[in-house]
Amino acid sequence: MTFITALKQRWTQANSLVCVGLDPEPAKFPARFNGDPDAVFNFCREIVDATAQYACAFKPQIAHFAALGAEDALQRLVAHIHAAHPGIPVILDSKRGDIGSTAQHYASEAFDRYGADAVTANPYLGRDSLQPFLDRADRGVVILCRTSNPGAGDLQDLVVADGRPLYQHVAEKVAREWNSHGNCALVVGATWPQQLREVRAIVGDVPFLVPGVGAQGGDVEAVVSNAKTADGTGLMVSSSRAILYASSADDFADAAARAARDLRDEINRHR
């Protein structure tokens, strides 16, 4: 099953557009994990198992694992998601993009080493830097378009030769030229509702990964009203900290489940 097919099935089966971000920070773990040599895996596994029924996808952030030397925990976590919750796609958030054989290795890292169903990718080195990802027709390539951070406009809003901002040029490149296998999605931040609407008009039904709700202040109603597709789907609304660290006590998994459920329900009210 391809990434896009799995995602569409999950939107329907779970009635959810929530993407649960997995950004482990041991300093925020409950005290019960103190002294646990496998705390990163064990914490994330419990979060996954508690929130799976409310998730359309999971999105582990590679830097949070790599900085801790926890790449093995990441591999085992992805394997656990596939085994325990089949059908829920995993997006490796690594924002890769490089030239030649390096890009080939990054694609192998995401899809072969970690077993991800999709990967986030940076388009600013051009198509050849993404081609090894695009060529994996069964996997997803989630391409940065208009990101949620405050400095996004420094480059992404620059007006290019056709008179449009760069992020719109990226959106059209993806939709018209790079998506020949139908395996592309776009990262468009929740903090820019007008840009969400503009990009949706350019790309049609291409899925969006939408970071920035919750801790970054994005408004759920604005996201859904500006970015949903005609059938009320088309979105992976990502939340990490608000779900992972909903409680620092022993009820952390139950609290995470409630936060994921509440976000799902809030999104659905506006669909």
Side-chain angles (χ1 to χ4, degrees):
M1 185 186 302
T2 68
F3 166 70
I4 297 296
T5 299
L7 179 62
K8 289 179 177 179
Q9 288 190 5
R10 193 66 194 165
W11 285 333
T12 300
Q13 292 170 355
N15 190 30
S16 178
L17 307 183
V18 174
C19 174
V20 177
L22 300 169
D23 302 358
E25 298 182 39
K28 297 181 179 179
F29 291 178
R32 61 180 276 195
F33 292 99
N34 292 346
D36 180 354
D38 206 15
V40 170
F41 174 76
N42 289 330
F43 173 81
C44 290
R45 179 187 59 193
E46 293 201 38
I47 293 290
V48 163
D49 291 345
T51 61
Q53 63 183 309
Y54 308 116
C56 73
F58 286 107
K59 183 178 70 65
Q61 214 298 324
I62 194 169
H64 284 260
F65 291 85
L68 300 168
E71 291 92 340
D72 176 69
L74 176 55
Q75 286 181 269
R76 289 184 286 125
L77 180 64
V78 176
H80 172 76
I81 295 170
H82 288 153
H85 308 287
I88 304 181
V90 177
I91 303 164
L92 182 66
D93 190 1
S94 57
K95 300 179 179 70
R96 299 305 196 198
D98 213 320
I99 58 174
S101 63
T102 305
Q104 293 279 3
H105 287 300
Y106 277 138
S108 181
E109 172 198 52
F111 301 140
D112 302 324
R113 179 185 181 189
Y114 290 113
D117 301 289
V119 65
T120 58
N122 188 328
Y124 293 104
L125 273 72
R127 178 169 182 159
D128 60 306
S129 68
L130 299 182
Q131 198 63 53
F133 303 98
L134 298 172
D135 286 343
R136 298 288 290 265
D138 59 328
R139 308 299 175 103
V141 190
V142 187
I143 299 169
L144 301 181
C145 181
R146 188 57 167 86
T147 56
S148 60
N149 58 302
D154 292 349
L155 297 178
Q156 296 165 27
D157 285 353
L158 292 177
V159 176
V160 295
D162 62 3
R164 294 181 300 171
L166 180 58
Y167 73 86
Q168 292 187 16
H169 185 71
V170 169
E172 184 156 1
K173 278 282 186 186
V174 172
R176 307 288 180 258
E177 299 179 25
W178 298 354
N179 197 25
S180 57
H181 290 305
N183 60 340
C184 291
L186 290 171
V187 177
V188 189
T191 46
W192 314 110
Q194 180 59 37
Q195 285 86 343
L196 279 162
R197 178 178 291 274
E198 293 166 356
V199 175
R200 177 58 72 203
I202 292 168
V203 304
D205 290 343
V206 172
F208 289 179
L209 173 64
V210 185
V213 300
Q216 294 185 56
D219 179 77
V220 170
E221 182 177 5
V223 167
V224 176
S225 63
N226 284 285
K228 68 180 179 179
T229 52
D231 66 357
T233 65
L235 302 174
M236 299 169 278
V237 181
S238 179
S239 180
S240 302
R241 286 168 285 178
I243 292 174
L244 295 182
Y245 308 114
S247 172
S248 59
D250 284 347
D251 68 341
F252 74 98
D254 290 338
R258 289 193 296 272
R261 181 197 63 203
D262 290 348
L263 178 57
R264 179 204 63 180
D265 293 347
E266 184 179 4
I267 292 167
N268 287 349
R269 281 196 295 272
H270 303 295
R271 290 171 64 185

